[in-house]
Amino acid sequence: MLEVKSPIPAEGLTIADAARRTGVSAHTLRYYERAGLVVTRVDRTSGGRRRYRQLDLDWIKICTKLRATGMPIKTIRRYADLVAAGRGNEPERLALLEEHRADVLARLAELQENLTLIDRKIGVYRGRLEAGDADGLWAPGRPG
């Protein structure tokens, strides 16, 4: 069932609420801000507590997706810097994303190759178990 999220209040969300909404810890939110990954300045209350807006949450979700696909923090920071700088650097942003996409595709191809090997091994084990001669499979340190 699709989770319906309530609108963000005018004063923004606390760090705990932002963490729940984005699926990352409060520690990670603080780290993203310190590391220069957030493209806007996160609002603060008069007492200095962070208050997150929808734009902040959307950007944090982008950062987490880029990290999950293996983009280094340094590269995310570069991308964030380009976005924060505004118009005029779109070709650089595109090049950065295209390079990352190529890296992700290469990793996917490697994973697919590895999965093919695993599937082949599963087929061998299933076949040998069904045939009743699985004990004939090679085992290190055991005479074959």
Side-chain angles (χ1 to χ4, degrees):
M1 190 161 143
L2 186 62
E3 178 186 348
V4 178
K5 294 182 180 171
S6 59
I8 294 176
E11 68 274 9
L13 294 175
T14 66
I15 195 166
D17 288 337
R20 274 191 290 281
R21 292 250 187 144
T22 58
V24 300
S25 68
H27 173 77
T28 299
L29 291 174
R30 287 185 203 96
Y31 172 74
Y32 278 10
E33 192 176 344
R34 277 192 321 272
L37 306 184
V38 182
V39 295
T40 59
R41 188 168 181 79
V42 174
D43 289 339
R44 303 271 180 154
T45 65
S46 58
R49 295 190 180 274
R50 291 170 174 84
R51 299 303 286 192
Y52 291 86
R53 310 265 180 221
Q54 186 64 54
L55 179 64
D56 303 319
L57 301 183
D58 293 344
W59 184 257
I60 289 161
K61 287 179 184 177
I62 290 169
C63 289
T64 59
K65 298 294 184 190
L66 293 174
R67 275 302 293 144
T69 57
M71 184 180 277
I73 293 291
K74 179 179 174 181
T75 307
I76 297 173
R77 185 179 307 114
R78 175 71 182 136
Y79 182 56
D81 288 346
L82 290 169
V83 170
R87 293 185 173 100
N89 60 30
E90 292 82 1
E92 289 177 77
R93 294 185 217 176
L94 175 61
L96 185 146
L97 291 171
E98 286 178 334
E99 183 178 330
H100 182 62
R101 182 179 191 278
D103 292 343
V104 170
L105 286 171
R107 283 198 317 280
L108 283 171
E110 183 179 354
L111 282 172
Q112 186 59 53
E113 184 180 320
N114 295 341
L115 182 59
T116 298
L117 176 123
I118 292 167
D119 286 343
R120 195 167 50 244
K121 295 299 287 178
I122 288 171
V124 167
Y125 278 89
R126 282 191 177 141
R128 297 297 289 270
L129 285 168
E130 287 172 11
D133 64 352
D135 61 338
L137 289 169
W138 176 77
R142 196 179 84 186

